[in-house]
Amino acid sequence: GALSVHAGVFLLFRTHAIWDAHWASRAMVAAVGIITAFLATLSGRIQSNIKAQIGYASIAQVGLMLVELSLGLSELALFHFAANSALRCYQLLISPSVVSRLLRVQAASPDGVLSMYSRFMKGI
């Protein structure tokens, strides 16, 4: 799944020689990338599910890759593509473990609240 999200960036990378010569197409790719990164960042901040947060973070990174491609930084975009897809695969694989660990910590605490939140609540 994390690789298929990046398929559009890879296709744009492969067809870079076709659309790179025209400033209008580069401007459109940059505009789509900026809008995508901005909206995905805002949407990811309000998600309550860890997998949804990872998904929106990945979409925001894809938007940044589009901006990199439109600026002619194709080598940087390709490295960003490979590194981000590997990171998102790893994060999606371990996210259930993170949630289950937090639930075990919550169950082991004396008051049934996660320790970082209980310290915050005591200060209020």
Side-chain angles (χ1 to χ4, degrees):
L3 287 174
S4 63
V5 170
H6 298 84
V9 175
F10 184 71
L11 288 174
L12 281 175
F13 177 74
R14 296 288 293 168
T15 60
H16 191 261
I18 297 170
W19 57 269
D20 185 46
H22 303 289
W23 68 269
S25 60
R26 291 177 79 166
M28 282 181 37
V29 170
V32 167
I34 290 169
I35 292 169
T36 300
F38 180 71
L39 291 178
T41 301
L42 290 179
S43 298
R45 300 223 183 248
I46 61 170
Q47 298 299 315
S48 60
N49 184 356
I50 191 168
K51 287 193 176 190
Q53 290 173 348
I54 292 170
Y56 279 109
S58 184
I59 293 170
Q61 292 298 311
V62 167
L64 293 176
M65 288 177 221
L66 292 178
V67 172
E68 291 167 358
L69 278 174
S70 69
L71 293 175
L73 304 170
S74 57
E75 291 83 16
L76 177 63
L78 185 61
F79 176 76
H80 192 175
F81 167 82
N84 189 54
S85 61
L87 172 70
R88 298 305 176 198
C89 281
Y90 173 73
Q91 285 179 334
L92 286 171
L93 287 173
I94 67 162
S95 62
S97 301
V98 171
V99 172
S100 65
R101 184 184 182 310
L102 284 175
L103 290 174
R104 282 195 299 270
V105 168
Q106 181 180 7
S109 68
D111 55 355
V113 179
L114 291 174
S115 61
M116 62 183 165
Y117 296 119
S118 62
R119 275 186 261 139
F120 174 73
M121 295 306 281
K122 288 178 186 174
I124 291 179

